[in-house]
Amino acid sequence: MTFTKRLLGKANGMAGAFLLGIVFFIAVLGSVYTPHDPLKSDLLNRFAEASATHPLGTDMFGRDILSRLMRGAWVSVSIGLGTLVLPVVLGTVLGAAAGYFRGWFDRILIMILDALMAFPGLLIALGLMAVIGANKYGVILALSVAYLPAITRVVRGSVLSVSQSEFVEASATMGNSRLYTLIVHVLPNCLAPLIVLTTMMFGWVLLAESALSFLGLGVPPPEPSWGNILAEAKAHLMRYPMLGLLPGLCISVALLGVNLLGDALRDELDPKSAPSKEVI
Amino acid sequence: MIRGTDTGQVLTIQNLEISFGALAVVKGVDLSVAPGEILALVGESGSGKSMIGRAIMGLLPGGGRVSGGRITFRNQEVTGALPSTQMRRLRGKEIGLIFQEPLSSLNPNMRIGEQMCEAMRAHTDLSEDKIRERAHEMLRQVRLDNPEQLMNRYPHEFSGGMRQRIMIASVMMLKPALLIADEPTTALDAVVQREVLDIIAEVARANGTAVILISHDLAVVAAYAAQIAVMEKGVLVEAGSARAVLGCPQHAYTQKLLAAAQLGAPEPVKGASGPPLLSVEGLQVEFSDKQMFGLFGKTVNRAVKDVSLSVQPGEFVGLAGESGSGKSTIGRAIGKLAPMKVGRVTFDGIDLANCSAANERRLRQRIRFVFQDPFSSLNPRMRVGRIVAEGLRHDRGLSAAERQARAIDMLEAVGLPRTMAARFPHALSGGQRQRVAIARALISRPDLIIADEPVSALDVTIQAQILMLLKSLQREFGFACLFISHDLHIVEQLCARLYVLHKGRVMEQGETAQLFAAPRHPYTRRLMSASPRLEQDAEGLQLAQTQPVLGRHDSDTTFYEDSGDNAGPYHLAETAPGHFVALRGTA
């Protein structure tokens, strides 16, 4: 059975992939089409009830909520994906180099990473945002830096353990260079934990982006993201709870999908935590 | 509780069937064990022998269940009929279990004494003093000195053999009527294995305990068992007294196992005369462990103290010794996998440390390795064909397609079907994987293979096949081989010359036949008796005569033996042409 089939054969894998699929579909759709202009306000039509023209009603500026959530999905998801690039690429390179070549580079890097990890990721991101200024790319950069240590440590750890395997020694005895051995023999065997962590990280970033936007340091209004839609709803929550519930629900669904899929991936890819399949 | 008929047996198994889902892994097995008797349950991995042991304990792994037949322990049926509380009372107190892996069966966070007394406290209401007294007595029975001190120490402070003895002591403390030992010595090396089995047999005799000894190695358990039962693919193919089974085996599979245990007459691979292909002179290897980042100095482990050896072109040379003797380290130092402190390695007349880097790389291309564990020596993410073809990576004249074609040819040469090339290693058995490793080593037509315990991780029947394969490949390709093993009898099969190592020094070296006919050094004799083999004689198969292993039976002081920190001076003396023995003092 192929890997994908096994993954989707699990209840949590299937549900996670389904939920994430919906989120991605809406995000992509939201980038090219929304029923109304998500930025166009209509002050005569504030807090409108759900109707045929506005299926989810309008907000305090009379903007169509559905359109804002769709465009917000695109903004949030693209920030989430954009944030994965730098930590995964840089973290893999740094972690692999540190774990495989060891020595002073490894020691200094680990010291810096440990110092960084002592601060909560969100705190680092907050500090950086204050320096960079609040905009979409600032969010991506700040969150990338905040999540770099986690990826680097995970890659380093698995490179360290895979490097002890006999097939790595076997490669050395065949006269292969260290770099070749690292790329061909070591790294492919470290992919599993990296994939799991990356999936989970997508969820954390979605949440962190929402938190930053909620604090006013994220994507600046009027451009919608799930976080700042939620933040703007704050003042009207008592009278119009739907304004806050809807973006909150979007975030929850996306996170649930990521976590379910992440769990299924971990069960499938990480043999240590998965139940044994051996019969005898 | 169901009363059975009183048979006088401790354990009776009738028509037992164990299934996982719809798949029956054990079918129609009948066995019985009398009080104080040792039954050897023998079979390859996957034959279902361990499942029987687990079924008796009611500890089948998830998904497994007894789907037919009955197990009667002391006239009381235990197959699923017992509520779990009663079964739990039986476990430990009445039936003891010893696992294969002494490293993981003791809790690293608990002192030995605590672990030993734990079960006793749960099962009896003896006073604390009485329990500790019993623990002391048991530790003495398994021949561990100073039990009072031992009980305050942690498992990591002991060697594998000692841990297994501690395991035996703690299981036997409750004087169970039945002891199930599931491959109790497979993880240990030959000398220790013999000691541990001696102790199991002795302790069982002293306490009147019946033992089921589960093992894949017929020769090892044959010496101890009164009854032998042989399993193949979940079916009991032969059972009877040890004499009958060994003397005239009825079933083809038993005969095959016996044939594997005999290994046949040795056929040493002699090399060409002339200058040696590989020569190692005065090799020393040290590993240092810094204590607390070097703040508290460092401990130095002198793995190889002073070893010189040579390999002729096309010759098989054996390097034997127990674990910790430095035999693997020598192979690794030659392959630059371990740091060499002092010494000269000359290959084909050229000093490897003293030639240009390019030259050295070219020479190293002619040395290839086969490792012990075929489960970790193959990259799990590469297909077999690519793994084998990688051995040709430095052959610039070949295209990728040519390499792949040669890899497939090589797979056929080691007895694997061509279609195997598209598989991943996890789809292969241990023996098949080792064949792949050999193919990878041989594809570049090297002059020297360094084989580090190439068959130790395999079942006995497979071991014999791999040895045969190496021999026929040698005839075809003419490579020399440095064959590293802890099992003298495996080394004897192929190697023309032999070095016996102990604690980083050569104890004895010479022509294999000569060395086996007249072993001089006490350590060599100890190593020989530790790997029992079956011999053909007038009455059929017998266990080869071996000397007891336990205790210091040799007071001959002229031989050099490293027994402590200060071993004194050492030299090798020639006792017969080409036969050297380690003696005390300087030459």
Side-chain angles (χ1 to χ4, degrees):
Chain A
M1 213 171 10
T2 65
F3 174 75
T4 331
K5 270 191 183 166
R6 261 181 302 157
L7 189 67
L8 297 182
K10 293 174 185 290
N12 52 357
M14 188 66 213
F18 180 69
L19 290 179
L20 265 190
I22 292 180
V23 169
F24 276 96
F25 175 74
I26 291 175
V28 172
L29 184 68
S31 71
V32 290
Y33 165 81
T34 48
H36 300 267
D37 183 349
L39 303 184
K40 190 175 163 254
S41 51
D42 177 3
L43 292 178
L44 296 175
N45 206 6
R46 301 166 69 220
F47 302 117
E49 298 273 315
S51 63
T53 37
H54 301 291
L56 295 178
T58 60
D59 66 3
M60 52 286 195
F61 298 113
R63 297 174 295 199
D64 180 47
I65 291 180
L66 179 66
S67 302
R68 285 184 68 74
L69 284 177
M70 284 172 71
R71 181 59 57 85
W74 168 247
V75 173
S76 292
V77 166
S78 59
I79 288 178
L81 291 179
T83 304
L84 293 181
V85 177
L86 181 78
V88 167
V89 173
L90 194 61
T92 305
V93 172
L94 287 178
Y100 192 65
F101 296 107
R102 309 296 307 274
W104 56 266
F105 174 69
D106 181 35
R107 290 194 195 185
I108 292 173
L109 182 75
I110 286 306
M111 239 185 275
I112 296 172
L113 291 184
D114 281 350
L116 271 178
M117 280 179 99
F119 298 98
L122 196 59
L123 200 65
I124 296 179
L126 273 175
L128 282 170
M129 288 306 297
V131 177
I132 304 168
N135 65 59
K136 192 172 162 179
Y137 302 100
V139 175
I140 291 181
L141 189 65
L143 290 176
S144 295
V145 174
Y147 289 112
L148 178 65
I151 296 260
T152 313
R153 288 226 68 146
V154 163
V155 172
R156 175 182 174 272
S158 53
V159 165
L160 262 181
S161 78
V162 172
S163 300
Q164 311 293 323
S165 314
E166 274 185 343
F167 63 82
V168 174
E169 292 199 327
S171 170
T173 64
M174 280 188 275
N176 294 329
S177 70
R178 304 249 290 155
L179 192 62
Y180 171 87
T181 305
L182 175 62
I183 293 169
V184 172
H185 290 290
V186 178
L187 275 183
N189 286 291
C190 300
L191 276 182
L194 183 63
I195 290 172
V196 174
L197 183 66
T198 309
T199 312
M200 295 294 203
M201 222 180 82
F202 178 66
W204 303 338
V205 173
L206 273 187
L207 200 61
E209 183 277 320
S210 305
L212 281 179
S213 296
F214 190 81
L215 293 172
L217 285 166
V219 181
E223 191 179 13
S225 84
W226 286 347
N228 71 19
I229 298 175
L230 193 61
E232 284 176 348
K234 182 168 61 175
H236 310 281
L237 270 186
M238 295 303 278
R239 283 178 58 210
Y240 305 101
M242 282 308 274
L243 284 183
L245 267 179
L246 287 170
L249 195 67
C250 291
I251 297 171
S252 307
V253 166
L255 278 182
L256 184 65
V258 169
N259 279 317
L260 287 174
L261 188 67
D263 280 347
L265 271 172
R266 196 194 49 223
D267 292 347
E268 203 49 56
L269 290 175
D270 185 0
K272 264 166 281 177
S273 64
S276 171
K277 282 181 214 76
E278 298 221 348
V279 175
I280 299 163
Chain B
M1 198 185 301
I2 304 157
R3 286 267 163 206
T5 47
D6 195 338
T7 53
Q9 305 281 25
V10 177
L11 180 84
T12 318
I13 293 175
Q14 289 164 317
N15 201 22
L16 180 70
E17 185 177 288
I18 301 171
S19 306
F20 282 83
L23 178 77
V25 294
V26 170
K27 287 160 276 187
V29 167
D30 293 291
L31 279 177
S32 66
V33 192
E37 185 183 60
I38 297 185
L39 167 81
L41 191 56
V42 182
E44 281 175 41
S45 41
S47 61
K49 56 189 192 308
S50 292
M51 287 302 136
I52 293 182
R54 286 174 167 272
I56 296 168
M57 294 289 277
L59 289 174
L60 281 170
R65 67 200 158 81
V66 174
S67 49
R70 40 193 296 200
I71 301 172
T72 320
F73 176 73
R74 286 185 152 176
N75 303 320
Q76 176 185 352
E77 178 154 351
V78 294
T79 25
L82 283 184
S84 61
T85 47
Q86 258 185 51
M87 197 66 221
R88 223 166 54 219
R89 224 167 290 147
L90 222 57
R91 275 181 219 145
K93 188 161 167 36
E94 304 284 340
I95 309 177
L97 179 63
I98 297 174
F99 293 97
Q100 171 172 353
E101 197 55 74
L103 301 181
S104 58
S105 52
L106 287 168
N107 181 345
N109 271 322
M110 270 171 93
R111 290 176 202 277
I112 297 297
E114 278 304 297
Q115 302 196 41
M116 290 187 68
C117 300
E118 199 185 12
M120 196 109 186
R121 257 180 236 134
H123 286 293
T124 64
D125 39 17
L126 289 175
S127 73
E128 193 64 12
D129 286 349
K130 281 261 165 54
I131 292 178
R132 288 196 85 83
E133 205 174 288
R134 174 97 185 108
H136 288 174
E137 184 199 329
M138 278 319 300
L139 284 173
R140 261 181 237 113
Q141 273 197 32
V142 296
R143 302 183 206 228
L144 291 170
D145 299 328
N146 277 332
E148 293 84 359
Q149 279 178 27
L150 287 189
M151 286 179 61
N152 286 323
R153 287 161 70 183
Y154 287 95
H156 72 263
E157 299 176 58
F158 298 95
S159 69
M162 282 174 93
R163 275 187 243 190
Q164 198 60 300
R165 288 199 231 173
I166 291 167
M167 234 6 249
I168 295 168
S170 53
V171 169
M172 292 301 291
M173 255 175 89
L174 285 152
K175 297 198 170 158
L178 176 68
L179 174 68
I180 300 172
D182 191 353
E183 303 263 12
T185 59
T186 307
L188 307 171
D189 70 45
V191 176
V192 184
Q193 161 169 313
R194 190 76 195 279
E195 273 175 23
V196 168
L197 286 174
D198 278 351
I199 285 168
I200 291 182
E202 202 177 282
V203 173
R205 203 178 308 129
N207 296 290
T209 304
V211 181
I212 298 182
L213 201 52
I214 300 173
S215 176
H216 71 277
D217 194 337
L218 184 50
V220 167
V221 292
Y224 302 94
Q227 302 279 328
I228 295 180
V230 181
M231 291 199 60
E232 185 194 15
K233 291 177 189 153
V235 180
L236 194 67
V237 294
E238 185 151 3
S241 73
R243 249 202 117 62
V245 172
L246 292 179
C248 60
Q250 301 297 316
H251 194 271
Y253 181 71
T254 316
Q255 288 162 4
K256 192 172 135 204
L257 270 183
L258 284 170
Q262 287 181 82
L263 284 175
E267 299 175 56
V269 180
K270 291 206 169 65
S273 53
L277 176 69
L278 172 83
S279 101
V280 177
E281 284 160 53
L283 177 71
Q284 291 187 29
V285 182
E286 279 183 8
F287 298 104
S288 53
D289 247 342
K290 283 184 188 155
Q291 302 287 317
M292 296 290 287
F293 313 108
L295 286 177
F296 294 89
K298 53 184 183 176
T299 53
V300 176
N301 171 19
R302 300 178 65 201
V304 180
K305 288 171 187 154
D306 175 15
V307 169
S308 301
L309 58 88
S310 68
V311 180
Q312 297 297 124
E315 184 187 36
F316 270 51
V317 172
L319 217 51
E322 61 190 287
S323 49
S325 62
K327 56 186 193 307
S328 294
T329 310
I330 294 174
R332 294 168 58 83
I334 296 170
K336 248 187 164 178
L337 293 172
M340 198 186 303
K341 187 176 173 249
V342 186
R344 244 165 67 100
V345 176
T346 317
F347 186 75
D348 208 5
I350 299 166
D351 188 342
L352 282 182
N354 225 341
C355 63
S356 70
N359 213 353
E360 184 189 344
R361 214 170 32 245
R362 226 183 44 246
L363 287 172
R364 288 198 181 279
Q365 288 300 316
R366 295 162 60 191
I367 308 178
R368 283 293 157 91
F369 280 74
V370 176
F371 292 92
Q372 169 175 2
D373 184 1
F375 287 89
S376 74
S377 66
L378 306 179
N379 187 343
R381 297 212 173 254
M382 277 193 184
R383 287 175 202 280
V384 167
R386 195 172 157 215
I387 289 175
V388 176
E390 203 193 356
L392 284 175
R393 200 172 84 85
H394 296 274
D395 202 335
R396 299 280 174 218
L398 291 173
S399 71
E402 279 172 315
R403 276 182 213 153
Q404 194 64 25
R406 284 222 199 158
I408 288 173
D409 289 344
M410 200 63 223
L411 282 178
E412 281 198 321
V414 298
L416 293 174
R418 303 175 77 89
T419 50
M420 213 62 116
R423 302 252 193 102
F424 282 102
H426 66 77
L428 275 57
S429 70
Q432 288 172 332
R433 281 158 167 251
Q434 201 59 305
R435 282 169 195 264
V436 172
I438 292 171
R440 172 177 65 183
L442 284 180
I443 193 165
S444 64
R445 305 288 153 92
D447 295 310
L448 177 67
I449 297 275
I450 296 178
D452 189 356
E453 304 259 16
V455 298
S456 305
L458 307 172
D459 276 335
V460 263
T461 46
I462 313 290
Q463 284 187 358
Q465 288 170 18
I466 296 289
L467 291 178
M468 291 287 288
L469 174 73
L470 276 174
K471 190 164 174 59
S472 69
L473 288 171
Q474 201 282 334
R475 231 173 279 141
E476 195 177 339
F477 298 105
F479 54 89
C481 179
L482 188 62
F483 195 103
I484 300 167
S485 175
H486 68 270
D487 190 335
L488 271 183
H489 290 270
I490 285 177
V491 173
E492 182 194 9
Q493 282 300 302
L494 297 174
C495 298
R497 280 187 310 119
L498 176 61
Y499 293 82
V500 178
L501 285 150
H502 184 53
K503 299 205 175 165
R505 287 209 159 105
V506 175
M507 290 295 113
E508 193 162 358
Q509 72 184 63
E511 303 250 327
T512 310
Q514 199 180 17
L515 211 145
F516 267 78
R520 300 295 298 266
H521 199 279
Y523 181 73
T524 313
R525 285 189 229 153
R526 209 149 69 225
L527 204 57
M528 274 182 187
S529 63
S531 39
R533 288 292 159 189
L534 301 166
E535 275 176 5
Q536 190 82 40
D537 70 3
E539 297 173 48
L541 280 170
Q542 295 295 319
L543 202 68
Q545 276 302 311
T546 52
Q547 293 160 336
V549 173
L550 284 166
R552 305 196 67 81
H553 48 80
D554 210 305
S555 57
D556 201 333
T557 49
T558 56
F559 290 114
Y560 171 91
E561 274 201 271
D562 193 342
S563 48
D565 305 326
N566 193 8
Y570 145 100
H571 72 283
L572 283 171
E574 191 162 16
T575 59
H579 190 165
F580 293 83
V581 178
L583 298 181
R584 281 179 191 281
T586 46

